[in-house]
Amino acid sequence: MGASTENPAEIQDGGAMELVRVPAWEVKYRLDSNPDELAHFVCCRDLDWRKAVCGYEEPEAVILENPTTFCTMCVEVVQARGGVLGSGKCPFDDQPCPDDETVDRMIDERTSRP
């Protein structure tokens, strides 16, 4: 029952997210490991991973590996929604977050990381 990418009507019927944002399979991210770079939190279910939970929208497609400096506003938004960082529960829909292996696979798919 999967939609074919060869039929644009099927893709458009997929939902509003695909109509507003760039589909995840078309986005290529750059990995960065600068420990001084400010890291924002994004929801793993967000299609393009550019809009942070604090509202900041990243103009470049960059994923920080092993960040050490985090956006205070992102942390406050998560906590205000009753979320606990590292708990494994999404603060937006209270569903379980993917495990680290799944998130790593998602990053591999979105970057050119071997």
Side-chain angles (χ1 to χ4, degrees):
M1 179 168 164
S4 164
T5 57
E6 295 179 18
N7 184 348
E10 288 180 2
I11 295 171
Q12 287 181 342
D13 291 340
M17 297 288 278
E18 287 78 7
L19 297 176
V20 175
R21 298 182 175 157
V22 176
W25 59 85
E26 290 182 11
V27 176
K28 291 295 180 190
Y29 293 83
R30 178 176 58 84
L31 287 174
D32 192 353
S33 58
N34 181 354
D36 296 327
E37 185 73 27
L38 180 66
H40 291 272
F41 294 110
V42 296
C43 179
C44 65
R45 292 176 182 87
D46 184 15
L47 287 179
D48 59 10
W49 286 4
R50 290 197 189 199
K51 188 165 187 179
V53 298
C54 69
Y56 173 75
E57 196 154 346
E58 179 63 51
E60 292 184 41
V62 177
I63 296 174
L64 291 175
E65 289 188 301
N66 305 314
T68 57
T69 307
F70 299 96
C71 171
T72 304
M73 287 177 48
C74 283
V75 173
E76 289 176 358
V77 168
V78 169
Q79 291 174 340
R81 293 177 140 291
V84 177
L85 296 175
S87 70
K89 286 265 192 178
C90 178
F92 301 102
D93 62 11
D94 204 33
Q95 296 297 311
C97 293
D99 59 26
D100 289 342
E101 183 178 304
T102 302
V103 172
D104 283 344
R105 189 184 78 246
M106 292 166 75
I107 291 170
D108 288 343
E109 290 170 354
R110 292 171 184 231
T111 65
S112 58
R113 182 170 77 175

